[in-house]
Amino acid sequence: ASGAVEPIRATAIRSQVTGTLLKIAIQEGQNVKQGDLLFEIDPRPFQNALQSAAADLQKVRVQLETARAQVARYRSLTAGQMVSKEQFEKISDTARSLEAEMLADESRVATAKLSLEYCSIRAPLSGRMGNMSVHEGDLVRANSNDAAATLVTINQLSPIYVTFGVPQQYLAALTRYRATGTLKVKVVPPGIDELPEEGELTFMDNTVDSSTGTLKLKGTFPNKNH
């Protein structure tokens, strides 16, 4: 049977932040490992945002520390009836409000840190780079559904699938033999001097294609030589 090679995993790399592309750390067609740096986006706006969020958080923490000290002092004064309950409740409300504001500022700091991390785009899987659609200096945008927003596509090559079809009359035999153990699959890549590659049958479709009378199968191959 004639087969088609398919990557087990493929991913379209897109930016999660909007900014200027400063550096392309890879080349088209290059093999990369998971975690390798692919692109760098200008981090300066995100560094400034992080510093601003951190300053706001520090300011609120100082205010909250002062408010908590006032709550402790007014609690003892209230016990001695030197201040009214209304005054104590007002001070307590201020402290609770500052606590909520501090949580919000902590969230903004965490978001700013995450955006800064997104400036370094790394490979989510090991594989081979495809065609790149961007150049250094380009403005890349986040959360865009436009196909042009894809910076590059990575296809996993090891292991890899080969999909093929066999006539439906072999369904019963395939089912019977597959129940006894793993079935081997051999493929010969196109070319005069190519040698057979051996893999295992890992998928058998649950329906027969009525238009062709064939059953779809998939073999998984180590593909160490790519």
Side-chain angles (χ1 to χ4, degrees):
S2 294
V5 182
E6 299 177 1
I8 293 178
R9 296 174 64 196
T11 182
I13 303 299
R14 299 187 178 191
S15 176
Q16 294 180 272
V17 293
T18 298
T20 302
L21 187 61
L22 283 185
K23 179 182 178 182
I24 298 177
I26 40 82
Q27 296 178 347
E28 294 177 328
Q30 178 181 334
N31 292 326
V32 296
K33 295 181 180 180
Q34 183 176 353
D36 283 354
L37 179 65
L38 305 179
F39 304 97
E40 282 188 0
I41 295 172
D42 187 356
R44 290 173 297 179
F46 305 97
Q47 290 170 343
N48 293 338
L50 176 57
Q51 290 175 356
S52 178
D56 290 341
L57 176 59
Q58 182 61 26
K59 178 181 177 181
V60 171
R61 282 175 174 169
V62 172
Q63 292 175 339
L64 179 58
E65 184 178 347
T66 301
R68 284 173 173 170
Q70 287 182 328
V71 168
R73 185 170 65 254
Y74 272 64
R75 181 178 286 113
S76 61
L77 293 175
T78 303
Q81 297 183 348
M82 298 180 66
V83 296
S84 66
K85 291 184 178 180
E86 289 78 9
Q87 289 176 301
F88 177 70
E89 288 175 357
K90 183 178 179 180
I91 295 296
S92 298
D93 290 343
T94 299
R96 284 192 292 268
S97 176
L98 288 170
E99 287 176 352
E101 190 174 344
M102 185 182 70
L103 291 175
D105 283 348
E106 287 176 345
S107 178
R108 281 192 286 270
V109 168
T111 300
K113 286 182 178 179
L114 190 60
S115 296
L116 185 58
E117 290 178 7
Y118 285 155
C119 289
S120 296
I121 302 176
R122 299 184 177 275
L125 55 86
S126 298
R128 180 169 293 171
M129 308 293 296
N131 178 60
M132 280 189 289
S133 59
V134 292
H135 305 85
E136 292 180 353
D138 286 353
L139 178 67
V140 295
R141 299 187 180 277
N143 304 321
S144 174
N145 295 323
D146 187 1
T150 299
L151 306 179
V152 72
T153 299
I154 302 178
N155 288 325
Q156 177 182 307
L157 299 184
S158 302
I160 205 165
Y161 282 141
V162 174
T163 304
F164 58 101
V166 298
Q168 59 185 344
Q169 58 263 33
Y170 293 114
L171 173 59
L174 278 167
T175 303
R176 183 172 67 255
Y177 286 121
R178 198 181 185 202
T180 63
T182 302
L183 299 182
K184 300 296 183 181
V185 182
K186 288 186 178 181
V187 300
V188 180
I192 298 176
D193 300 324
E194 294 293 343
L195 298 176
E197 296 275 352
E198 186 174 283
E200 296 180 349
L201 183 67
T202 51
F203 171 79
M204 186 168 67
D205 207 348
N206 56 5
T207 58
V208 173
D209 188 337
S210 59
S211 62
T212 61
T214 58
L215 180 68
K216 182 179 180 180
L217 305 174
K218 283 185 180 181
T220 300
F221 296 81
N223 196 30
K224 293 180 180 179
N225 295 326
H226 293 175

